[in-house]
Structure formats: structure tokens, C-alpha cells
Amino acid sequence: MDCKKAEEVIFTDYIDGRILDEVLLNEVEVHLASCSHCRDLERELKSLRAGFKGMPRMEPPREVWNRIRSKIEKPQAHMAFPGIILRSIPRLSFRIRPAFVAAAATVAILALLLLSRMAPYSDNLSTALTQEDLVSMVNLGDNGNGSAYNFNTPEENYFL
Amino acid sequence: MLDISREIIKKAASGDMGAFGEIYRTFSSTVYTVAFNITHNRQDAEEVTQDVFVKIFKKLDNFKFESAFSTWLYRITMNAAINTYHSRARRNKGTVNIENVDERIMQKAGASEDSQVIETALTEAGEILNHLSSEHRSCIVLREIEGLDYKEMAEVLNIPLNTVRTRLKRAREALRAYCAERGACHGL
């Protein structure tokens, strides 16, 4: 292995411990043992990496979270009206649909039962009323003898 | 890479602020550290952190668990941080004034010795990273500071594995050249 090829590997896979091919790994190590230039490169890269490894983790100031919260919560409060309605439609329909269907079915059945029981009475009632009305109307203007109706009380006679 | 349970993500997606707070506690340090290492500016890092978490909250509904949550988070963070860095660089006509950070550190009243050591380390690392292009810096930050492997880097940066290898090699070459020019970067 020459320096050029060795450098290619040392800069990346070798220094990052990614060489799984034992033959290649052996070739690089044999080259390193005999090349001071590539050994210097390896040492420098290791030193650089070690420096970055010691970098401290940083914590954002507390105000950052407060600002995030206010940014998240404000738009929700302002945009809540259309947003909540639009979002709740599918949820509501999903939740209420079975209950709604059951209630509608119950009302429909009760209405049918009620109508089926009322139907005979309503027919008789309308017929009876019609007949009675007709008799009254006929009798109102006629007493059955072709003459004017004979009112029995003075008040009725006076007003009608 | 850090990760978080599906239950927490689903709860947060349905608007549970407690669950979203859990996501923030788990990842805020990662997002802020990455943002700072890319932008090298605290104010920008705070803005990036804020924007990333607001965006995550809005987009959680769309997260389909096709990749790790942390991969998705790194991608959003990296894009936001690089965009912010470029915006500031344009505003500053291509230069980012890293001395601002030093100045603020020095002015920090009552700063403990430890925090000064940390700040100095951050500043030195930042100065070195600042000499890399944003492409190369992203690779160094993800690999050396965040400890992602090549496959994870490829997913975060949305590039092929071989491109990760090429960029990493060039980034390391650039770092090495900078350190040689400067004298030494051993231990940063």
C-alpha cells in the first residue's frame, strides 16, 4: 500500500474504526509501521478528534423554553376557533354516530307505533266530524221542512 | 443518538404540553449545542433552538416514524442553523465576528473558573470550526461532537454514504491545514 491510498483510508474509515475488512486493516497497519509521514497524520487526526470529544454540552437559557411555550400557545389560542371546529368534526361524528343512530331509530320506531295506533281513530273522527258538520251546516239554514231554521231561545233568535 | 418513546411523541402530537416538555428536556441541549457549534453565536443558537422546537411542535402530526426521531430533529436543526449562519454572514458581509463571544465571556461578572474554561474551549473550537465551510462544519459537528456514525450522518444530511466520507475527509484536511498554519490545535 502506498501513502496516497493509505491516507485515503486513514482520514476516514481507519481513524473512525470502520474498517471491517481484516486484510485492508492489516495493510494499513503494515504501512503505518513503516511510514512516519502517515503515522504523523494518524497522530494529528487522533489529537484533533480527542479535542472535539471533550467539548462541553450546552444548555439553552430558561427563557428559550418560555418563548417556545408562548409561541406555541398563542397561535393555538388565536387560531383555536376554526382549528378546533375543523378538528372536532371528524372526532365528534366518530364518537356520536352510534348514539345518534340509536336515538334516531328509537324515535322513528315510536313515531311509527304512535301513528299506527292513531290511524283508525283519526279516520273515524274525521268522518264523524265531517258528517256532524255537514248536518249542522245543512240544519243551520234549513229546519228540514224547506223553511228557515226555528230557534228556540230569544237570544238565539235575536243574534242569529 | 438520543431517542424518545413513541408514546411521548404521539402525546405531544395531540397537543399534550407535558409530553412536549419531555421532548424539550431530552433534546434541548443537543439542539442548542449543534446550533451554537454551527452559528458560533449564542443569540443565533437561542433563536435556532426556539424555531426548531416550534417547528417540531407544528409538524409532529406529520412525523411517520420512518426514521429515528433524533435523525429528524438533527436534520431540522442542521438546516435551521446553517440558514441562520448564512443569513448572519450575509449581514456581516461574509465575516462572523467570533470576538463578540470572547468579549461577553470576559464581561460575565462572577463567572466561575470552570465556566470560563468551558467558554474558552467553546470559543477555540468555534474559531477552528469557523474556518470550515458550512458543509464541512456540519460533518465535523455531527461526527466529532455529536458522535453520529456515517449512516446516521447520511440520513441527517440527506446525502449518500460516499459523500459523507468525501466531505469528512476534506473537512479533516482543512482542519489539519488550519492547525498547521496556526501552530497547533492539540486538544483544541
Side-chain angles (χ1 to χ4, degrees):
Chain A
M1 181 178 274
D2 60 13
C3 278
K4 196 181 172 189
K5 193 177 177 193
E7 276 185 15
E8 284 288 323
V9 184
I10 291 167
F11 261 115
T12 53
D13 294 296
Y14 180 78
I15 210 77
D16 288 314
R18 296 187 75 246
I19 302 180
L20 299 174
D21 181 350
E22 282 189 18
V23 177
L24 179 62
L25 184 62
N26 190 48
E27 278 181 35
V28 176
E29 284 176 345
V30 166
H31 178 83
L32 281 169
S34 63
C35 176
S36 62
H37 168 78
C38 287
R39 274 202 306 276
D40 285 347
L41 172 64
E42 183 201 5
R43 199 184 58 250
E44 283 173 35
L45 289 173
K46 278 185 176 169
S47 176
L48 269 176
R49 294 202 70 207
F52 282 118
K53 287 262 181 299
M55 291 275 289
R57 307 301 293 173
M58 300 165 73
E59 294 293 334
R62 177 107 190 125
E63 306 89 74
V64 174
W65 173 240
N66 296 336
R67 288 204 296 266
I68 291 166
R69 278 198 76 134
S70 67
K71 277 216 164 192
I72 287 171
E73 285 168 353
K74 261 188 196 168
Q76 274 191 329
H78 290 299
M79 293 163 61
F81 186 65
I84 280 177
I85 288 178
L86 287 172
R87 279 185 204 168
S88 61
I89 286 169
R91 263 187 254 160
L92 278 174
S93 59
F94 176 75
R95 284 180 192 165
I96 290 174
R97 191 174 291 154
F100 178 75
V101 169
T106 309
V107 169
I109 290 166
L110 284 174
L112 281 171
L113 279 172
L114 197 65
L115 283 171
S116 64
R117 287 190 180 187
M118 280 181 68
Y121 294 111
S122 65
D123 283 351
N124 290 343
L125 188 64
S126 66
T127 312
L129 281 173
T130 307
Q131 284 171 350
E132 198 176 76
D133 283 347
L134 281 170
V135 169
S136 301
M137 284 171 74
V138 168
N139 290 341
L140 198 61
D142 188 2
N143 62 5
N145 301 324
S147 59
Y149 193 82
N150 183 25
F151 300 106
N152 293 323
T153 63
E155 290 82 10
E156 284 172 334
N157 284 331
Y158 176 80
F159 286 109
L160 296 171
Chain B
M1 278 202 293
L2 277 173
D3 227 327
I4 198 158
S5 75
R6 277 186 177 224
E7 278 71 26
I8 297 284
I9 295 168
K10 283 179 182 171
K11 276 185 185 175
S14 68
D16 183 333
M17 280 306 285
F20 189 66
E22 182 68 32
I23 293 176
Y24 182 81
R25 279 191 293 280
T26 308
F27 292 104
S28 59
S29 172
T30 300
V31 170
Y32 187 66
T33 304
V34 168
F36 181 80
N37 284 321
I38 296 292
T39 62
H40 198 54
N41 180 296
R42 285 185 186 278
Q43 193 187 334
D44 287 349
E46 286 176 24
E47 275 174 29
V48 167
T49 306
Q50 182 183 311
D51 292 348
V52 164
F53 280 97
V54 170
K55 189 169 187 177
I56 283 172
F57 185 79
K58 286 179 182 169
K59 303 265 180 186
L60 266 177
D61 265 351
N62 300 333
F63 182 66
K64 304 292 179 208
F65 298 96
E66 285 164 359
S67 64
F69 179 77
S70 52
T71 303
W72 185 57
L73 185 87
Y74 270 120
R75 191 180 301 148
I76 293 172
T77 305
M78 200 51 90
N79 290 338
I82 288 172
N83 288 339
T84 302
Y85 171 78
H86 285 311
S87 302
R88 183 172 283 275
R90 273 196 298 274
R91 283 201 303 273
N92 294 346
K93 295 178 183 174
T95 58
V96 175
N97 186 4
I98 60 164
E99 274 132 31
N100 288 345
V101 179
D102 289 305
E103 227 174 80
R104 260 180 283 164
I105 295 160
M106 293 305 153
Q107 286 170 357
K108 212 172 171 184
S112 70
E113 199 175 310
D114 280 352
S115 67
Q116 279 184 359
V117 169
I118 290 168
E119 296 284 4
T120 307
L122 288 170
T123 309
E124 286 187 19
E127 193 181 340
I128 292 165
L129 288 172
N130 205 39
H131 282 80
L132 299 177
S133 69
S134 55
E135 263 185 7
H136 292 162
R137 194 179 320 173
S138 308
C139 284
I140 294 293
V141 168
L142 291 178
R143 176 69 196 138
E144 310 295 16
I145 301 172
E146 297 302 311
L148 269 61
D149 63 29
Y150 288 17
K151 189 172 170 285
E152 290 166 338
M153 288 170 70
E155 285 174 12
V156 169
L157 300 171
N158 202 23
I159 53 175
L161 208 68
N162 272 335
T163 310
V164 169
R165 190 180 280 110
T166 308
R167 282 189 193 176
L168 202 50
K169 179 178 178 282
R170 288 185 183 152
R172 284 170 173 164
E173 281 172 341
L175 277 179
R176 192 175 170 236
Y178 174 73
C179 290
E181 190 184 299
R182 194 184 173 208
C185 300
H186 300 299
L188 296 174

